[in-house]
Every structure is written in structure tokens, then in C-alpha cells.
Amino acid sequence: MPSARLIVDHDFIISDLDRRIFGTFVEHMGRCVYTGIFEPGHPTADDQGFRQDVAELTRELGTTIVRYPGGNFLSGYNWEDGVGPVEKRPRRLDLAWFSTETNAFGTNEFMDWSRKVGVEPMFGVNLGTRDHDEARRFIEYCNHPGGTELSELRKSHGYEKPHDIKFWCLGNEMDGPWQIGAKTAGEYGRIAHETAKVMRWVDPSIELAACGSSNRDMATYARWEYEVLDHCFDYVDFISLHTYFQNPHDSTEEFLGNIELLEAFIREVVAIADAVAATRRSPKRIMLSLDEWNVWYKARTHEHLRKPGWPEHPPLIEEVYNTEDALLVGGALITLLNNADRVKCACIAQLVNIIGPIMTEPGGAAWRQTIFHPFALTARHAHGRVLRSLISSPSYAGKTAPEIPYLHACVTEDETTGQVTIFALNRHLGEPMDLEVLLRGFGGNRQVVEALQIHHPNMKAVNTKDAQDTVAPAPIEKVSLEGDRLQARLLPGSWNVIVTAPR
């Protein structure tokens, strides 16, 4: 039976945790908005048409910030289409997803929904078909108190107070040839600079994210990040990362090695951003926003990406998640926590139906996909600061990464409550793992207050409308804490959370 050891010290800190890493993403694509978060006439819908079953699951998920309205949709979107009287809004062809957009849901509806659910909004501005002038008009509409044409227009739409949206994305995946209005790094860097400049003139309190590469495999990766930041370094706070984990080897062992690729991606982009800072002799540090990430490889064919005839909100890329997907999502969250000094925001894509942790049936039920559970447990228990862990674990060689440790783990401490939480993924699929954790400097009089695992003997097991809890959290059977020494037996192929607190 393999064994692993984790040593953590109260005084060795990576960073305070920015809880915006527990973000999600709502795009006008498929059934994410329509029959997802918004379905007038649904048995649970409120007076604005917001599905309350989805709202409750969003709260349970622990979502802190939500990116809107796209995504690829953003690069052809006119924000003016989605404000004002619904009956006067235009119907448009959406060239991103070959659908018809009714614009029955827009900026103000999203803001109402986000306030009711209790999440922070993250908005994007269209830098595909539009430019810095559209962006400064949009932020004036949303954030200016009053006395101007656009702020008064907002008031006439029933919103006296400004929306006060603080986090803005400067376009979406502008390096991608699939993007409406795709640009070179020089073209995009220049317009990002000008857009950021005028947006800050309208509202100096905002935070701005520039587009990084659409994924790490892009031919222009790394050069794109450097050139873009070389243009707009002084005006932005974040560079974005996008990654979707795939399983080309049809192997759970190789699939879980994707976690090592995420670690490399983060470290590389940090190095590039700091190199741009070095050329300026600048102490400023650009932070990272992983504002699109998830598992996505099963629903990737042409039929999943578009439907004929320009339909309204057709079902698109509705990935059904299984046990191994939940393990990978839990492992990716551990990586984000261990990079809390630079990763300050992240959005799992998307919230509902479209590669989402929540699934719905039009007019019917809503349920938790397998990946819902590690996300919700991490969001519930990861508070305060992330501690630096020393891990000793056996490993295995892989094609995805040359060396893949069986144990992937992190530790957080909430100094307000005294809780110390261990998150641990056992990537050994054949045997349980005996884990020893030394908790140094926390005081010996502690107890385990919760110990849960995500595990199923079938790596392809899924949750469905009729079997919603096939893969769900269950107690860890063998766990003990004596003094500063915690011991636990982790089942093969399991993701685990162990919460300790003072007695």
C-alpha cells in the first residue's frame, strides 16, 4: 500500500486567498441563460423569470463571481440590444454559436439575478466588432451615478443607482481564428491599452483583465502574452488564462496528469508577466485570471457546437460529467489554491447546462453534476490563507507529464475560526493511500470536525436526473488526529477534504 506525507507549518504562507477563484461563467450560448438561470413560466421561477432551483444550487456551489455575457458571444454583442423595454429589443443572429439571440435577457436582468443570488458580476466588453468607444459608453451606462445621457438612460430603464461593476474583461480570446474580429497581438494590445485607458477615466476604481492566449497550445502562445502586456501593462491588473482539460489517451491516469499541465501554464504566464515588468524596472505584478476552465472533451463534435436553422437557445456542448472528471476538477482547484499568490480570480465554465456543474430540464428538474461536489466543498472550506506544504509522495511516469505524484494536496487556514483544512487527491487507482499530515505550530489540542471524500469504484459513473447522487460526498472511514499528527486512509482514485479545528 502506498504512503505519503505532508508537512505544513503555521508560519509558512503562500498568500491570503482571494475567494474570487470560486467564480463561474454565464454566456449567451445554448441553454446557459435561457432554460438555465432564466426560464419564465418554470414552476420555480420568480416574478422576473429566474429559476429558484438553479439560484439555490448556485449558492450551494459557493459561487463568488460570475463572468458575463461571454465568451465568443461577446465579440459580436451590442450591449444596447440588451437594455430597455424587452418588447423593443432586437432579435439578432449570433455568429458565435449560429443561433438566434432574442435579447430577452441582458445587462440589467443579469445584475438583478446576481444581486438576488449574491454574486459579484464580472463583465466583458466587445473588442471584436467594436472598440474603446463602445467600452467607455458601456461603463458609463453601468457605473456613472447620473447627469449624463447614458447614466440617465440607465435610470429611465428603472435603475436609479449605478451597477458599480468593478471587474471588466477586455474582450475574449482575441487570438483565436474562430473569434469574430480576431486580432494579432499587436492589434489587440493596442486596442486593449486604449480601451483600458478610457474605461479608467470613466471609473478609476475598476479592475481590468487583458486577454491571454486562448489556450496553451496556440501557436502564438507566450509571444502573445508578452506583446499584449508590453502594450497595456500600465493599465491592466490581470492577464487571462483559458484551459479545457481533455483525455486524448482515454486513460484516467493520463487524464489526471492534466493537473501538472495547469501548474506549468500558471508558472509560465507568471514568468512572462514578470519579464514584462522587468523591462520597465517595475515593482507592479500582473495577476492571473483563469476565467475559463473546466473538463471538456466528450461534447466537442460539430453537432454539439451548432444546430441548423438558427434556433433559439439550442442545447450545445452539454457535457455529462463522471467520477474522473470530478477528481480532475478537485485537483485543479488544489493547484489554484497552491498558486494563490498570483491566481486571484477563476471562473469554471459554465455555470449551468453548457459544460456546467449544474444541469436542468426545461420546465423540470435541476441537479448537481459530479464536478459540483469538489467545487462546492472547496468553496465552503477554503478561507483565509493558503499555507506552503511539503509533500513526499511516490509518483508514476506519464505521457501527459513525465512525473505525476500520486498525492496532490494543499492546506488552508482560517485564522478567524482556527480551522485548518487539508485538500488531497489520491491519483493511485489501484490501492488506498496512507496519508500522514504533520500540522506544526497550530497547537496540539485539535480535532477533526469533517472528513469527506469523492469516490466511486466506476470512473465513468455519472449523476442524472433520475439518479442524482450516484457520485456524491461520503465520510472518510479512517481518519484520526493526535497532537499535531493526522492520519487518514485515502481510497484509490479519490478526492478528499479533512477539516480540523481547535477543541
Side-chain angles (χ1 to χ4, degrees), residues 75-352:
S75 292
Y77 182 54
N78 300 329
W79 66 266
E80 300 92 339
D81 292 346
V83 299
V86 173
E87 63 275 11
K88 294 183 178 179
R89 296 180 190 177
R91 294 166 58 88
R92 303 281 192 194
L93 295 183
D94 168 27
L95 299 184
W97 303 112
F98 295 87
S99 306
T100 297
E101 173 56 51
T102 67
N103 286 304
F105 186 99
T107 294
N108 295 322
E109 288 81 12
F110 180 80
M111 289 305 303
D112 286 342
W113 177 84
S114 65
R115 291 187 183 103
K116 286 184 175 184
V117 175
V119 298
E120 178 184 349
M122 176 199 293
F123 267 65
V125 294
N126 175 0
L127 295 184
T129 60
R130 307 186 81 178
D131 58 19
H132 56 282
D133 188 53
E134 178 269 340
R136 66 97 184 164
R137 288 173 58 83
F138 192 19
I139 195 170
E140 181 182 324
Y141 176 90
C142 291
N143 286 11
H144 195 66
T148 66
E149 176 193 4
L150 293 168
S151 59
E152 292 300 317
L153 180 63
R154 181 195 69 243
K155 290 184 179 183
S156 75
H157 294 156
Y159 297 84
E160 181 70 23
K161 294 182 179 179
H163 291 321
D164 201 28
I165 301 162
K166 294 302 183 187
F167 200 122
W168 294 81
C169 303
L170 302 173
N172 173 76
E173 294 185 355
M174 298 310 302
D175 60 332
W178 58 84
Q179 201 69 211
I180 302 170
K183 292 172 173 57
T184 66
E187 291 168 341
Y188 171 72
R190 178 63 179 156
I191 195 171
H193 170 98
E194 290 302 313
T195 303
K197 180 177 72 178
V198 296
M199 290 181 73
R200 287 198 184 280
W201 286 350
V202 174
D203 185 350
S205 69
I206 59 174
E207 292 181 282
L208 295 170
C211 288
S213 295
S214 298
N215 59 71
R216 189 169 175 253
D217 294 328
M218 296 295 290
T220 54
Y221 170 62
R223 294 189 301 276
W224 171 277
E225 278 75 5
Y226 190 95
E227 187 170 355
V228 165
L229 286 176
D230 202 31
H231 278 282
C232 61
F233 180 90
D234 294 329
Y235 283 100
V236 302
D237 308 286
F238 290 84
I239 185 79
S240 73
L241 293 76
H242 289 183
T243 191
Y244 290 103
F245 303 113
Q246 300 186 53
N247 190 7
H249 303 289
D250 193 23
S251 159
T252 302
E253 290 90 345
E254 290 297 336
F255 182 53
L256 296 179
N258 276 287
I259 296 163
E260 306 308 306
L261 300 183
L262 175 60
E263 178 72 32
F265 192 11
I266 290 169
R267 292 185 180 276
E268 288 162 1
V269 175
V270 165
I272 295 163
D274 289 352
V276 177
T279 64
R280 290 163 163 75
R281 284 70 168 172
S282 173
K284 177 179 177 179
R285 291 296 176 261
I286 298 292
M287 298 300 164
L288 274 55
S289 175
L290 185 66
D291 56 30
E292 280 190 38
W293 73 276
N294 206 339
V295 173
W296 176 28
Y297 66 92
K298 294 180 281 290
R300 265 191 178 265
T301 64
H302 181 84
E303 66 181 23
H304 292 112
L305 291 168
R306 65 177 69 177
K307 304 294 183 185
W310 301 94
E312 296 178 15
H313 51 82
L316 300 175
I317 61 171
E318 297 193 2
E319 192 101 337
V320 176
Y321 290 111
N322 58 31
T323 307
E324 63 187 358
D325 298 330
L327 300 183
L328 180 53
V329 165
L333 287 163
I334 289 171
T335 296
L336 298 186
L337 290 170
N338 279 333
N339 287 278
D341 55 332
R342 298 302 287 270
V343 180
K344 299 297 184 181
C345 185
C347 300
I348 197 167
Q350 296 180 18
L351 173 63
V352 54

Side-chain angles (χ1 to χ4, degrees), residues 391-411:
I391 297 175
S392 175
S393 168
S395 60
Y396 60 101
K399 300 174 184 176
T400 306
E403 185 177 7
I404 305 171
Y406 284 119
L407 176 67
H408 186 51
C410 70
V411 179

